Each structure stands twice: as structure tokens, then as C-alpha cells.
Amino acid sequence: MTTSSIGREVKVAGARIAGVMSCVPSLQIENDYFIDKFGEVAVNDAIKMIGVQKRRWVNESTTTRDLCSHAAKRLLKELEWLPDTIDALIFVSQTPDYRLPASACVMQSELGLPNACIAFDINLGCSGYPHALWLGMTMIQSGAAKRVLLAVGDTSSRLFDKDDRSTAMLFGDAGTVTALEVDSSSVAHFIMGTDGQGMCNLIVPEGAFKNYSSTTDKRLNYKNPVFLFMDGAEIFNFTLQSVPPHIARTIEFAEKNTNDYDAFLFHQANLFMIKHLIKKTKLPNEKVPINIEEFGNTSSASIPLLMTTRLKEQLKNNTLQLAMFGFGVGYSWASASIKVGNLKVVEAIEL
Amino acid sequence: MNEFYEGMAEVLEVDIDQISPAFELQNIDWNSLAIVSTIALVDECFDVLLNGRLLDACKTISDIENLIAAKKD
């Protein structure tokens, strides 16, 4: 364990990814949907920047847990893992079923996992996936668990105002489940950090137990506080400032070179931002898979969704050296340098 | 400055000849998309990160150039 200006640096040994399953809602929303609301010019301008051509949205009765449970059942079946062999389940989301109990508890029973199963929720968004990998693998390294499920995703369409131009076109919904197991030869490197001063730039101001008020923050004037508020310029600034050094330090901490990596998986925040990051850090375009055009910004699900849509064949047949970067809401950021491959299951399904 | 002016012309969707320090941003749609594009452009040209709220308050290209100069020092 070391600390740099980027964050806490941790090496975890003894665990690997055994399979990944994503589940997206079947309802596809194309950009035409927004023209009546915002006008053609505004829609085209926004799309040119964010790069989203279509996205999936859940209906009113479907939650992140529904997507994740569907993915988990299929994943367990195809891995041929019996539910009673699962030692821990971590649910990472900002759109749980209830304020309490934890959605992980609901899932434990729904999936038929044993009572001797550790299950809890984590409230993180864009940075959630590398955090979940770190925690799940640490549980295996410590001996607390041999098999862990990471249910990671969001149904952001239930959080934003469909009439708010700054968020409505950007986000899509997805749930994913990643299976972790013991593997004595595996090593992964993680760097994680936080800057809560950015809390007010991506926030749902009301609906929990504290109201973040528009009297202290003029940007919230005329915005409905029960919906997601995003200050795109501030988030963009934060990303440009923090991600390039995070990339450099992750590669260095793992004692690798850029050339050693088969792919760099970025949280799919916004196409313009990802392209700018690639240019600034001089990463080879062909090593940075993108799926924001098809699914939008899917919050914590975006990295596993990239694996199951853009790297599916490679991850089935080969082992890839991957670097993953999640950054955003919090502010919170996390990276992983990890080998993933020869996966028995790596697939995206619909609900 | 040429690269910056060319970029600004593209971001603001106006002819390059129109871009000068006196160019009035209120004459065009100085919206959040234009501001984000400008942040990226300035980062590319000068390796300087401008604050979105300060950019939002700029009235002319010259105001943006002053922000860049202040950040460089």
C-alpha cells in the first residue's frame, strides 16, 4: 500500500474475474425522441458533443436490481456456479430499490444465495466498477470469500428530468454482474481517490434526508430539486485535470508501459471528453473501445458493458492486459490495471 | 494565437475573419456546449485549464485571453 497525489495505491493478489454478464432494458430511445422537446438544432448540437445516438431506458416498474438479478441468474447458470457457493454479493448503485433495506439483501434472497453470504450496497457512480473489483478481490485475498458477485449499474433514466437538456440525452440504463473467484496466480493494481468538494456538481439535491438548497447555489434556480443536476463544464474540468495523471500513475504503479496494455477502458462519460482525453494522453485510438454511441453514459455499468459488448470475443478466447478508469460523481475516481481473459461467460443480454 | 482563433471560429461557428479580441460573445449562443468546447480548445493550445464559471462570465474573446494569461502566470 502506497499513497501518491492521485490516491491510495493497492496491489491485490489471488483473485480473478471468472465471467461478466450485462443486462440492458429492451426499450431503445433514439435521438428523434428529443426533437419535439428541444428542437432539432439543440438536439444536433448536444449530440455532436456527447456522441450518444441511442440509449436504453427502463420502464416505470423496472429497477437496477431487476437488471442485475436477471444478469446474475444467467451468469450463475452459464458458469455452472450453484447459488449456495456464493460467499459475498456487493451491489454498487445510486438507484437502489428502496432507501432501506440494501438491494444486496433483496438480491441475496431472490438469487437463492446462502444465509452465510456477506451482502451490502455501495453508493458510487462513475468510479464504482474499479472500486467494486478492488473490494471483491480484497475479500478473496483476505480469505473472507472464495466466490464474489459484483452487481454494478444504474437506471439513471429514473433520476433525471426528461425535459432537462443537460442530462436527458446523455444517460442510459444498464445493470451488470461480474463473478470473481480464487486464482493464486493473479495480481491486480488499483488507485482510488476522492474530492468531496465536487459534490455539488453532480447531485440529486432532494429526496434523501438533507436538502441541498438553491438559495446557496444559484445554478439550481428553476431546476426541480428531485432530479439530477449536472454542471457539465465543472465535470469536464475535473476530468481533464485528474484523469491524465491518473492514467500515467496507474501504468507506472503497475510497472508497465502503455504498449503492455491491450485496451484502456474509460468510463463512458461523454464522447467529446473521451476523445479529448485520448488526444491529450496520446493513447492509441484503437486501444480505447467506445460504446457511448449505442448505450449512452451508463454510470458505473459502462466499463463492464464495454467488456461485454466491445471486447466480447477477445475476452473469451485470449487474456488481455486491461486498464480501467472510472471518474465522476463525488468527485470520486478509481483505476484498475488487471489481466482479464479466457472468460467462460462474457455476454450482454436484454430484459 | 492563430491556432486558438481558428479553434474559436470553429467552436462559435463563425468565419475566422470575425474573430478578434473585441469579438462579442453575447452576439452568438455562448452556451454550456460552447464553454466546454472552449475549455478543451484552451487546454489543447495552451495546456491551461479554465474554470467554466469564469468562462461563462466572459463578454469578449479578449476576456478569455485575459483568463488564459492569468492562469499561465
Side-chain angles (χ1 to χ4, degrees), chain A residues 42 45-46 48-49 200-201 217 219 231-234 236-237 240-241 272 276 279-280, chain B residues 13 29 31-37 39-41 43-44 47 49-53 71:
Chain A
D45 280 355
K48 211 172 102 188
M49 162 92 33
C200 56
N201 295 325
D217 193 335
R219 296 173 301 169
D231 186 328
E234 287 293 328
F236 189 67
N237 245 334
L240 292 196
Q241 208 151 18
F272 181 74
H276 189 76
K279 211 159 149 190
K280 197 176 162 71
Chain B
E13 293 178 336
D29 192 8
N31 59 23
S32 61
L33 294 179
I35 288 169
V36 167
S37 305
I39 292 174
L41 176 69
D43 181 39
E44 220 171 292
D47 203 19
L49 277 179
L50 295 183
N51 177 285
R53 276 181 247 187
K71 267 270 181 159

Side-chain angles (χ1 to χ4, degrees), chain A residues 92-164:
Chain A
V92 181
S93 183
Q94 302 173 121
T95 43
D97 275 18
Y98 312 105
R99 285 202 267 182
L100 62 119
S103 296
C105 298
V106 181
M107 270 185 88
Q108 176 271 337
S109 142
E110 190 181 20
L111 298 175
L113 307 187
N115 294 129
C117 175
I118 304 165
F120 54 84
D121 289 7
I122 291 178
N123 180 340
L124 282 176
C126 326
S127 66
Y129 192 67
H131 272 103
L133 281 179
W134 160 71
L135 187 56
M137 289 184 164
T138 300
M139 287 165 99
I140 291 175
Q141 178 181 252
S142 76
K146 287 195 170 68
R147 285 180 170 175
V148 178
L149 296 182
L150 310 173
V152 180
D154 266 312
T155 44
S156 305
S157 70
R158 308 276 303 267
L159 278 184
F160 59 73
D161 179 354
K162 304 251 183 342
D163 293 319
D164 176 9

Side-chain angles (χ1 to χ4, degrees), chain B residues 17-58:
Chain B
D17 304 335
Q18 287 188 51
I19 300 289
S20 72
F23 183 90
E24 302 257 353
L25 296 167
Q26 64 204 29
N27 292 344
I28 48 99
D29 192 8
W30 185 233
N31 59 23
S32 61
L33 294 179
I35 288 169
V36 167
S37 305
T38 305
I39 292 174
L41 176 69
V42 170
D43 181 39
E44 220 171 292
C45 295
F46 307 106
D47 203 19
V48 160
L49 277 179
L50 295 183
N51 177 285
R53 276 181 247 187
L54 293 179
L55 262 181
D56 193 24
C58 286

Side-chain angles (χ1 to χ4, degrees), chain A residues 156-206:
Chain A
S156 305
S157 70
R158 308 276 303 267
L159 278 184
F160 59 73
D161 179 354
K162 304 251 183 342
D163 293 319
D164 176 9
R165 269 201 294 187
S166 65
T167 52
M169 291 178 268
L170 180 60
F171 294 97
D173 301 336
T176 69
V177 179
T178 300
L180 303 180
E181 67 181 355
V182 174
D183 178 33
S184 56
S185 66
S186 288
V187 175
H189 293 78
F190 299 91
I191 306 182
M192 293 156 287
T194 311
D195 179 7
Q197 287 197 20
M199 56 81 72
C200 56
N201 295 325
L202 192 49
I203 186 172
V204 178
E206 290 184 13

Side-chain angles (χ1 to χ4, degrees), chain A residues 230-303:
Chain A
M230 179 176 77
D231 186 328
E234 287 293 328
I235 301 286
F236 189 67
N237 245 334
F238 152 71
T239 306
L240 292 196
Q241 208 151 18
S242 61
V243 178
H246 193 176
I247 297 170
R249 182 60 199 152
T250 300
I251 295 171
E252 190 180 56
F253 176 53
E255 296 177 337
K256 298 204 179 308
N257 297 309
T258 305
N259 296 336
D260 296 329
Y261 289 89
D262 298 299
F264 294 84
L265 309 187
F266 288 98
H267 162 55
Q268 303 287 292
N270 160 327
L271 187 62
F272 181 74
M273 189 142 95
I274 298 170
K275 285 195 166 162
H276 189 76
L277 281 174
I278 295 173
K279 211 159 149 190
K280 197 176 162 71
T281 54
K282 301 187 174 69
L283 292 177
N285 264 306
E286 65 278 9
K287 285 192 178 179
V288 185
I290 285 169
N291 70 5
I292 190 168
E293 77 286 358
E294 194 179 347
F295 298 102
N297 174 337
T298 54
S299 183
S300 51
S302 67
I303 294 172

